Amino acid sequence: MDDRGSFVAVRRISHTLDRGSTCHFSSAEVVAGSTAWLGRGLSCVCAQRREHESRPSFDFTPAQEECLQRLQSRVDVPYDGSIPQHQEALRALWKLAFPEEELRGLISEQWKEMGWQGKDPSTDFRGGGFVSLENLLYFARNFPKSFQDLLQKQVGDRSVWEYPFAVAGVNITFMVIQMLDLEAVKPRTMVGATFLKLLAENESAFDLLYCIAFKLMDHQWLTKRASYMDFNVRHLHLTVMKSTRRQLEKELLLEDVTRLEDLPSFSLLGR
């Protein structure tokens, strides 16, 4: 398998390192047998703290907590190819991606055209769950131009060094879940707390942030590829995903951001 086929999404497992340092990182359950280079580099976010220091606490309204619980329920749903709703969602994604090409089956070599690692996309959904498919559908329906631009690689001379679109999309879901700390009962960071307030105003905020993140990642991929022409693709993707997360965190904490449409990176999206 070449570097372009090595993008992976992995289950999240929390580990404690040495005293005073907690690190949440991914390991163990790797999609399609690929190496876990992306998951490890993307999701390892270590916070050095003294023993007497505690996490900040935030006050949330009952309505905000209810919105969070609904989102967490979505995030917890695994993709299950035996469920008709999941099958129909996958067919809908194909129709949105390739409206002129008939899908021959849910298991088909055709799926590789979208950037899945094999002929059965369900194996790549293990890391992101059903919500990662919902994210892709939201992107395709609400920002069809940006979706097609990224899918068809219509920007720049990218055929030799491009990332696989669909698997990268699953990893974007994984990154946003980690960034927002959605596996915690309540947000434990300012970024997570800020997002929860935005979510209470717009229940599609997670899906919209996903679209912004995907477009921002692609933008940074193009920029860094131009700067590092001989950079190894695996290390390049780690660099891009980390910088994408940092940029999103920075923008979410801007004082004048009251909705996701206020994020500077929102301007990258085109309908």
Side-chain angles (χ1 to χ4, degrees):
M1 181 179 297
D2 60 20
D3 285 338
R4 287 178 293 162
S6 299
F7 280 46
V8 295
V10 292
R11 287 293 184 192
R12 297 167 290 279
I13 301 173
S14 296
H15 292 259
T16 300
L17 299 182
D18 34 31
R19 191 173 300 172
S21 171
T22 301
C23 179
H24 300 284
F25 71 95
S26 306
S27 66
E29 216 176 299
V30 182
V31 170
S34 300
T35 56
W37 59 269
L38 175 57
R40 284 200 301 265
L42 165 63
S43 60
C44 185
V45 182
C46 303
Q48 299 291 337
R49 298 190 304 274
R50 295 185 178 89
E51 291 184 1
H52 68 274
E53 293 178 333
S54 60
R55 289 183 179 274
S57 60
F58 304 98
D59 295 323
F60 304 112
T61 67
Q64 289 171 342
E65 292 187 13
E66 184 179 346
C67 287
L68 175 62
Q69 290 169 4
R70 283 198 293 270
L71 176 56
Q72 289 173 328
S73 295
R74 286 182 63 196
V75 169
D76 286 341
V77 176
Y79 179 84
D80 186 344
S82 68
I83 298 177
Q85 177 192 0
H86 293 199
Q87 296 174 3
E88 289 307 310
L90 194 56
R91 290 190 182 96
L93 179 63
W94 177 269
K95 189 171 182 179
L96 288 165
F98 304 108
E100 305 299 325
E101 184 178 349
E102 183 178 353
L103 179 64
R104 292 188 291 272
L106 292 180
I107 298 178
S108 169
E109 293 290 337
Q110 289 174 285
W111 287 108
K112 294 180 182 179
E113 298 174 32
M114 196 185 295
W116 300 105
Q117 294 188 98
K119 60 183 181 181
D120 182 3
S122 66
T123 61
D124 289 332
F125 281 123
R126 291 173 187 160
F130 184 60
V131 72
S132 58
L133 175 52
E134 292 180 314
N135 287 158
L136 284 166
L137 283 169
Y138 182 92
F139 193 9
R141 288 167 174 159
N142 291 275
F143 301 96
K145 182 181 183 302
S146 288
F147 179 88
Q148 287 293 333
D149 284 347
L150 301 191
L151 173 65
Q152 303 293 344
K153 312 299 186 288
Q154 295 172 354
V155 181
D157 181 14
R158 310 167 65 168
S159 60
V160 176
W161 48 272
E162 189 54 65
Y163 55 84
F165 170 80
V167 180
V170 174
N171 279 288
I172 293 291
T173 297
F174 176 77
M175 182 268 286
V176 175
I177 290 171
Q178 290 254 313
M179 181 182 73
L180 300 177
D181 200 19
L182 291 179
E183 292 188 318
V185 174
K186 295 181 181 180
R188 299 171 293 183
T189 66
M190 185 62 72
V191 169
T194 298
F195 174 78
L196 181 52
K197 294 176 182 178
L198 300 176
L199 180 66
E201 298 297 324
N202 177 9
E203 286 211 54
S204 296
F206 180 78
D207 300 272
L208 179 55
L209 184 59
Y210 168 87
C211 298
I212 296 170
F214 206 150
K215 190 66 175 178
L216 177 60
M217 185 279 290
D218 183 80
H219 176 75
Q220 296 203 11
W221 178 273
L222 286 174
T223 301
K224 292 183 182 299
R225 172 64 188 188
S227 300
Y228 300 101
M229 295 298 290
D230 297 320
F231 207 70
N232 179 276
V233 174
R234 294 186 180 187
H235 292 111
L236 175 58
H237 189 72
L238 289 176
T239 301
V240 170
M241 293 295 282
K242 288 179 180 178
S243 63
T244 299
R245 174 171 173 164
R246 285 195 298 267
Q247 181 64 28
L248 286 174
E249 290 173 335
K250 179 180 177 181
E251 292 186 13
L252 282 167
L253 296 179
L254 292 174
E255 290 184 3
D256 57 348
V257 169
T258 59
R259 56 185 192 141
L260 288 175
E261 290 85 349
D262 296 330
L263 296 180
S265 292
F266 178 77
S267 62
L268 295 171
L269 283 170
R271 296 182 186 273

